[in-house]
Amino acid sequence: MNDALSDTRANAIQVDHVTLELGDRAILDDATFTVRRGEFIGVLGPNGAGKTTLMRALLGLLPLSSGSIRVDGQAVVRGNPSIGYMPQIRSGLAGRRVRGRDFVAMAADGHHWGLPHASPAVRADVERVLDLVDAHALAARPLSELSGGERQRLLLAQCLLGKPKVLLLDEPLISLDPRHQTGVVDLVRRVQRELGITVLFSAHELNPLLNSLDRVLYLGKGRAALGTVDEVITKAVLSRLYGSPIDVMRVNGRIFVMSGDVEIDKLDHAHEEGDEGHEHEHEHDHEHDHAHGHKAKGKHTHNV
């Protein structure tokens, strides 16, 4: 009994025989896996495999067709303060004149799109997270003057408000050049190690994460494979997840997942997971609970 309780407390996320459906399609079909506390997990998979859908289920925003999910030992609930969440970000931030510090504080009040009235406690927490991501200089400048990588630094600061135990980062590398991608991954890894928190970091390509991740969660055809890079990024496993023959090539410390003569991320990830209701650079109405139990609603355009 005590051993079982100890095992539960050692796990950050437990997915047990979970089926997730969108319309008549099973995004996950009887998936079971466990993420341990303090792990950095890269979440990958073909277009429409369910990376965003899984994160929304962890946030309690999508009902499960069957099975159960526990986060930090507790059943999934909407607005879980243990989770920090960075949604897929699109156009809109680049033109905003709001200062970086005010932008970060907006997440604490749930007022992402209006200036906050921050309490002393919120202001102190904002300074704490700005220090964590080394963004005090950025905090004094408007978002419109910042690069994509610099804005991602402030978005990560938002996620850290309230001291979450789990971070869900949904495609934070989109639209960033390789140098900024490396900077974002290194920053997340440093903060993750410093705080001892768990990170699920979804991405279109494995290589930017290779030097930082502990294990890979690969989704495809309703299945989930979780393990080390050597265990998961293999011809046999990926062919099963893609439902077609896949080759894996290792060249100069990089890994290339190939379908015939075409690299998978070039073929399959030229656009966002449209089957899951998210597209690049277009306006959409949405409502979701932001990290730490705050709700934001409205029509936004996001792009970094």
Side-chain angles (χ1 to χ4, degrees):
M1 182 72 171
N2 288 337
D3 287 344
L5 182 59
S6 176
D7 288 344
T8 298
R9 289 177 176 172
N11 296 328
I13 297 170
Q14 293 175 276
V15 174
D16 189 19
H17 295 288
V18 164
T19 296
L20 276 170
E21 297 176 333
L22 289 180
D24 58 356
R25 186 164 70 96
I27 302 299
L28 284 181
D29 186 9
D30 196 36
T32 296
F33 59 86
T34 299
V35 174
R36 297 184 290 267
R37 293 185 190 277
E39 283 196 292
F40 188 121
I41 303 293
V43 183
L44 296 108
N47 184 46
K51 300 185 292 292
T52 294
T53 299
L54 172 62
M55 289 191 177
R56 289 176 59 78
L58 293 170
L59 290 163
L61 300 178
L62 291 177
L64 307 182
S65 299
S66 63
S68 65
I69 297 177
R70 300 181 73 83
V71 178
D72 194 34
Q74 304 296 319
V76 165
V77 293
R78 202 175 168 112
N80 187 345
S82 294
I83 301 176
Y85 174 49
M86 184 189 296
Q88 294 179 9
I89 302 302
R90 306 292 174 258
S91 59
L93 293 183
R96 292 178 59 83
R97 294 294 302 173
V98 64
R99 288 191 315 159
R101 177 174 282 99
D102 294 329
F103 174 71
V104 173
M106 288 171 186
D109 288 346
H111 299 306
H112 272 258
W113 314 107
L115 288 176
H117 302 285
S119 67
V122 167
R123 289 197 294 270
D125 203 25
V126 168
E127 296 307 311
R128 178 187 68 85
V129 298
L130 288 174
D131 187 57
L132 274 172
V133 303
D134 192 23
H136 282 288
L138 302 179
R141 297 165 58 192
L143 296 184
S144 58
E145 294 181 4
L146 304 181
S147 69
E150 289 169 336
R151 288 192 291 273
Q152 289 295 67
R153 191 174 290 266
L154 294 176
L155 285 161
L156 179 60
Q158 282 190 338
C159 294
L160 295 168
L161 289 169
K163 300 182 179 179
K165 298 177 182 178
V166 175
L167 287 186
L168 306 179
L169 308 180
D170 195 357
E171 302 283 7
L173 303 184
I174 287 178
S175 300
L176 299 182
D177 62 32
R179 180 175 64 87
H180 283 121
Q181 287 185 355
T182 299
V184 169
V185 174
D186 289 348
L187 172 63
V188 172
R189 184 55 158 167
R190 177 180 64 76
V191 170
Q192 181 258 341
R193 284 175 167 167
E194 183 175 339
L195 299 180
I197 58 180
T198 305
V199 172
L200 265 62
F201 190 122
S202 77
H204 279 165
E205 186 189 359
L206 173 64
N207 286 304
L209 304 179
L210 265 181
N211 294 326
S212 295
L213 53 77
D214 295 308
R215 292 194 293 166
V216 175
L217 174 62
Y218 220 105
L219 306 178
K221 295 293 181 181
R223 303 181 182 94
L226 176 60
T228 65
V229 170
D230 288 341
E231 290 168 340
V232 173
I233 310 302
T234 68
K235 180 176 181 177
V237 171
L238 296 187
S239 294
R240 176 171 59 88
L241 295 177
Y242 277 86
S244 61
I246 297 295
D247 288 315
V248 177
M249 300 174 58
R250 288 169 166 80
V251 181
N252 297 327
R254 292 173 60 84
I255 296 176
F256 299 92
V257 178
M258 310 293 293
S259 175
D261 296 329
V262 181
E263 190 179 348
I264 280 288
D265 76 284
K266 303 295 189 296
L267 172 71
D268 204 33
H269 294 147
H271 59 279
E272 187 37 55
E273 298 185 5
D275 290 341
E276 295 182 42
H278 300 273
E279 297 288 345
H280 280 300
E281 300 187 49
H282 79 115
E283 291 191 335
H284 58 280
D285 289 305
H286 72 276
E287 177 179 350
H288 61 262
D289 288 340
H290 286 267
H292 325 307
H294 304 303
K295 182 179 287 185
K297 182 177 181 180
K299 188 172 187 177
H300 317 313
T301 0
H302 304 285
N303 188 29
V304 180

